[in-house]
Amino acid sequence: MLGLGADRLRADMNRLLAFLFHQGILDEQYLQLQQLQDESSPNFVSEVVNIYFHESEKLLRNLRSLLMDREFSDYKKMGIHLNQFMGSSSSIGAKRVRNVCVAFRAASEQNNRAGCLRALELLEHEYCFLKNKLHELFQIEQQRVLAVGVRYPMQN
Amino acid sequence: MATAAAVLPSGSQELHVLAVDDSHVDRKVIEKLLKISSCKVTAVESGTRALQYLGLDGGKGSLGFNDLKVNLIMTDYSMPGMTGYELLKKIKQSSAFREIPVVIMSSENILTRIDRCLEEGAEEFLVKPVKLSDVKRLKDFIMRGETEENGGSRVNKRKLEDDGHPPLSSSSLSSSSSSASAPSSPSSPLSPPPSTSTVAPFACDLGTTELPTSPLHSSKRSKFCNSD
């Protein structure tokens, strides 16, 4: 039967999602995004996530170049970038990334440059991890769609 | 990202919402939330653009006909240039647009911020991320207001009071705000219907539609509920 490969892939996807939830990497907002995906916007989640990647990488570059500047002192500007990053992260359910932003912002409010640098390292790490996992998720989903071959109507 | 609203067929009940947010991610999400709730959406990226669209900047604006009327404005609070608060003030100062309900969205539930917005005339203050249930509630409220005479009492409702417990997203927000001891309006039209308030926050918004079905899903779901 055509369905077997698709079922296994769906199980893989669920396992990965469960892992991401359990580790606090994603929260229920991600599921809300999935709920919004429908026939009229079948790629909604990946579109939103791609916009998020795009925005995030710009913000990370800005943060890094701010901190790398020897004469850096514009903590307020850093705070603005962080607020944006926090906002978009919570909008897609990127809980851990968002939490690192919160800690980062605390260091920034204390004008603690060393703390900010540490937070930035952690933020870049968490973001990369998230990005890899989301790519994995989308890959499995793509394979599953191919394995199914035919789109079954939603049952329920 | 402003989209021109189509001319409505006569008798149509579709709400036209003007969404203002500098975040591309948030614009896309709010747009989808509104479209799924059968609303027409015009999404703009700044307060300045919003005023331009409404024609409040001295120009003609894009609203030419009555059926392109904006029924609700949803704006982010923290935006570069003009904040959502400043946009709110400008709208409330305008005789043409002050009756349009304005909802402020923010990823932080800072009490002074909430108070300030409500005092300035915001209909509601939503803590992000905005959910489908928020939009549905807003829509119901606006539709009721559009079809019947407004009772007159403004609903100053804080999102935290919604379901009797704070939304999960606000619990992880910064500690800069104390837990809101805000007066709630039990008789407010914005109160969610009882059926949604008793469901656990995690399951609440997912109650109506499930993830793509598979026999494996029901057992996996309880796992999600237990995590965290």
Side-chain angles (χ1 to χ4, degrees):
Chain A
M1 264 176 70
L2 267 179
L4 280 183
D7 279 344
R8 190 171 33 237
L9 286 167
R10 194 197 296 280
D12 288 345
M13 210 169 80
N14 288 340
R15 207 175 310 125
L16 178 51
L17 266 176
F19 167 76
L20 293 173
F21 270 77
H22 188 259
Q23 296 295 306
I25 292 161
L26 288 179
D27 65 25
E28 74 276 7
Q29 178 60 16
Y30 188 80
L31 292 183
Q32 167 80 109
L33 290 189
Q34 287 183 321
Q35 297 305 301
L36 296 179
Q37 185 160 291
D38 58 15
E39 284 93 40
S40 69
S41 57
N43 301 310
F44 177 71
V45 183
S46 64
E47 282 166 12
V48 175
V49 169
N50 280 328
I51 295 173
Y52 171 73
F53 288 157
H54 194 75
E55 277 192 350
S56 302
E57 280 156 36
K58 212 171 11 168
L59 287 167
L60 282 169
R61 277 196 300 272
N62 289 346
L63 287 166
R64 187 152 271 282
S65 75
L66 274 176
L67 276 171
M68 291 295 100
D69 180 358
R70 268 170 191 250
E71 285 150 21
F72 164 71
S73 64
D74 199 345
Y75 286 99
K76 189 170 173 213
K77 190 164 188 187
M78 203 156 62
I80 292 174
H81 289 322
L82 284 171
N83 282 337
Q84 287 178 321
F85 205 165
M86 267 173 62
S88 54
S89 298
S90 83
S91 291
I92 70 151
K95 186 159 102 165
R96 245 176 28 189
V97 168
R98 188 193 170 274
N99 289 343
V100 177
C101 288
V102 173
F104 194 154
R105 190 174 63 172
S108 152
E109 280 161 3
Q110 290 155 17
N111 290 10
N112 177 357
R113 181 141 182 242
C116 285
L117 274 165
R118 277 196 300 275
L120 178 60
E121 297 281 332
L122 184 55
L123 187 56
E124 285 166 343
H125 171 84
E126 283 294 341
Y127 170 76
C128 280
F129 186 75
L130 172 71
K131 185 173 179 180
N132 285 338
K133 289 301 165 197
L134 287 176
H135 272 151
E136 211 180 304
L137 207 56
F138 292 135
Q139 260 167 12
I140 301 174
E141 170 63 11
Q142 263 180 343
Q143 285 165 11
R144 188 190 66 81
V145 169
L146 288 173
V148 167
V150 158
R151 285 195 66 185
Y152 294 115
M154 291 273 271
Q155 280 141 21
N156 220 19
Chain B
M1 239 183 104
T3 55
V7 175
L8 291 175
S10 57
S12 170
Q13 286 279 297
E14 267 203 337
L15 284 191
H16 180 199
V17 182
L18 177 62
V20 190
D21 203 318
D22 62 311
S23 159
H24 191 180
V25 169
D26 288 351
R27 277 202 305 280
K28 192 156 169 85
V29 173
I30 197 82
E31 197 170 31
K32 185 65 184 175
L33 284 171
L34 289 166
K35 282 189 174 156
I36 273 198
S37 308
S38 308
C39 296
K40 277 187 6 288
V41 193
T42 299
V44 299
E45 66 199 3
S46 69
T48 312
R49 285 244 191 276
L51 292 178
Q52 274 171 7
Y53 181 79
L54 294 170
L56 275 177
D57 61 339
K60 247 180 45 178
S62 312
L63 292 177
F65 306 100
N66 214 23
D67 36 16
L68 296 182
K69 183 177 110 157
V70 169
N71 306 112
L72 168 67
I73 297 170
M74 297 181 74
T75 176
D76 188 30
Y77 183 94
S78 314
M79 296 188 291
M82 190 186 303
T83 66
Y85 176 67
E86 287 159 357
L87 175 62
L88 167 69
K89 280 204 291 194
K90 287 213 153 62
I91 290 168
K92 292 303 170 186
Q93 280 161 12
S94 135
S95 50
F97 295 108
R98 70 160 62 103
E99 292 308 311
I100 301 181
V102 180
V103 169
I104 310 281
M105 307 176 283
S106 174
S107 50
E108 309 197 72
N109 62 341
I110 299 172
L111 213 50
T112 49
R113 183 182 282 193
I114 299 174
D115 280 340
R116 202 190 313 150
C117 291
L118 294 179
E119 272 164 32
E120 202 57 45
E123 213 58 52
E124 187 161 348
F125 187 99
L126 292 179
V127 175
K128 283 177 165 182
V130 176
K131 299 177 161 47
L132 207 50
S133 54
D134 296 323
V135 173
K136 182 174 191 311
R137 208 180 61 236
L138 273 177
K139 187 187 172 189
D140 289 345
F141 171 66
I142 307 284
M143 294 292 263
R144 237 173 296 150
E146 292 285 315
T147 53
E148 62 183 44
E149 199 175 303
N150 252 331
S153 63
R154 162 161 296 128
V155 176
N156 288 336
K157 189 159 195 319
R158 294 163 199 222
K159 174 136 202 302
L160 288 175
E161 304 309 315
D162 254 356
D163 299 327
H165 56 71
L168 280 182
S169 54
S170 70
S171 61
S172 58
L173 286 169
S174 71
S175 53
S176 58
S177 71
S178 53
S179 54
S181 51
S184 60
S185 333
S187 56
S188 136
L190 282 176
S191 298
S195 54
T196 56
S197 62
T198 52
V199 180
F202 179 85
C204 180
D205 299 318
L206 311 179
T208 50
T209 47
E210 297 268 284
L211 292 171
T213 56
S214 137
L216 301 168
H217 267 275
S218 43
S219 55
K220 295 290 181 188
R221 224 175 138 204
S222 58
K223 211 170 170 184
F224 293 162
C225 287
N226 290 334
S227 73
D228 203 72

